[in-house]
């Protein structure tokens, strides 16, 4: 009779990690694709949402707001196919830090705005209250996904893996 040692967490991690990475990559891709698609139809509203933060001159805010949906869509597409995953995760992390900083800044200055993360955004109507804490926590969760991919960018079903010819999932026999 052959007795094998039970698999420990440390032994399972190399087999599970790529699949967690795939979920992180596809989750972050979905976030960027949904956010970009929600804004791309009304670039002027996206510009107004960026301007509502009162951090940039109006002309700069409108250009940033008009470009942002296309950056988000590009990041989403790149992550969806798994091309340059670490780079896309790094750009994602940088954008998320900027977004979190912007929301914290708006909150600390007493602005009443909608973040514009998944739509038009901008100034809230009288009597409406901003939801800054949930927005910050949500973006911190997205930042965790990007951080995971920065550390472990190799995932199954990716162009990166196809280009390198290396399997993302480690063989149990090694």
């Amino acid at each position: 009779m052959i007795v094998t040692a039970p698999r420990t967490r440390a032994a399972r991690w190399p087999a599970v990690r790529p699949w967690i990475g795939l979920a992180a990559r596809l989750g972050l891709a979905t976030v960027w694709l949904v956010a970009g698609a929600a804004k791309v139809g009304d670039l002027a509203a996206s510009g107004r949402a960026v301007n509502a933060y009162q951090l940039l001159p109006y002309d700069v805010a409108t250009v940033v707001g008009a470009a942002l949906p296309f950056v988000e869509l590009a990041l989403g597409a790149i992550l969806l196919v798994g091309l340059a995953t670490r780079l896309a995760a790094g750009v994602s992390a940088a954008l998320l830090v900027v977004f979190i900083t912007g929301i914290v800044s708006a909150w600390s200055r007493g602005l009443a705005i909608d973040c514009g993360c998944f739509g038009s955004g901008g100034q809230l109507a009288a009597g409406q209250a901003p939801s800054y804490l949930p927005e910050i926590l949500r973006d911190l969760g997205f930042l965790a996904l990007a951080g995971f991919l920065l550390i472990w960018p190799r995932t199954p079903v990716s162009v990166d893996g196809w280009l390198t010819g290396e399997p993302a999932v480690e063989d149990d026999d090694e």
Side-chain angles (χ1 to χ4, degrees):
M1 175 166 90
I2 299 174
V3 177
T4 59
R7 294 193 71 154
T8 64
R9 286 186 197 179
R12 283 190 300 257
W13 177 245
V16 173
R17 182 205 39 78
W19 299 104
I20 295 170
L22 177 63
R25 182 171 58 89
L26 295 178
L28 198 53
T30 301
V31 167
W32 290 130
L33 290 170
V34 170
K39 291 182 261 202
V40 78
D42 190 354
L43 299 180
S46 183
R48 287 190 299 275
V50 172
N51 188 56
Y53 284 89
Q54 300 176 14
L55 294 171
L56 301 170
Y58 177 78
D59 292 338
V60 175
T62 56
V63 170
V64 168
L68 189 58
F70 298 102
V71 171
E72 291 171 337
L73 289 170
L75 280 172
I78 289 168
L79 285 164
L80 185 65
V81 299
L83 177 63
T85 302
R86 181 172 276 148
L87 176 63
V91 173
S92 296
L95 270 177
L96 288 161
V97 167
V98 169
F99 294 165
I100 292 165
T101 302
I103 295 167
V104 168
S105 172
W107 193 4
S108 68
R109 291 180 292 135
L111 299 179
I113 63 172
D114 180 324
C115 75
C117 301
F118 293 95
S120 59
Q123 297 293 329
L124 291 174
Q128 285 187 313
S131 58
Y132 295 130
L133 184 59
E135 291 168 353
I136 291 167
L137 294 175
R138 176 202 62 214
D139 286 356
L140 286 171
F142 298 153
L143 184 58
L145 297 178
F148 187 95
L149 292 171
L150 275 169
I151 298 168
W152 296 290
R154 297 289 316 283
T155 61
V157 195
S158 70
V159 172
D160 287 342
W162 177 74
L163 289 173
T164 62
E166 298 176 17
V169 180
E170 296 180 20
D171 192 0
D172 287 341
D173 298 331
E174 292 179 4

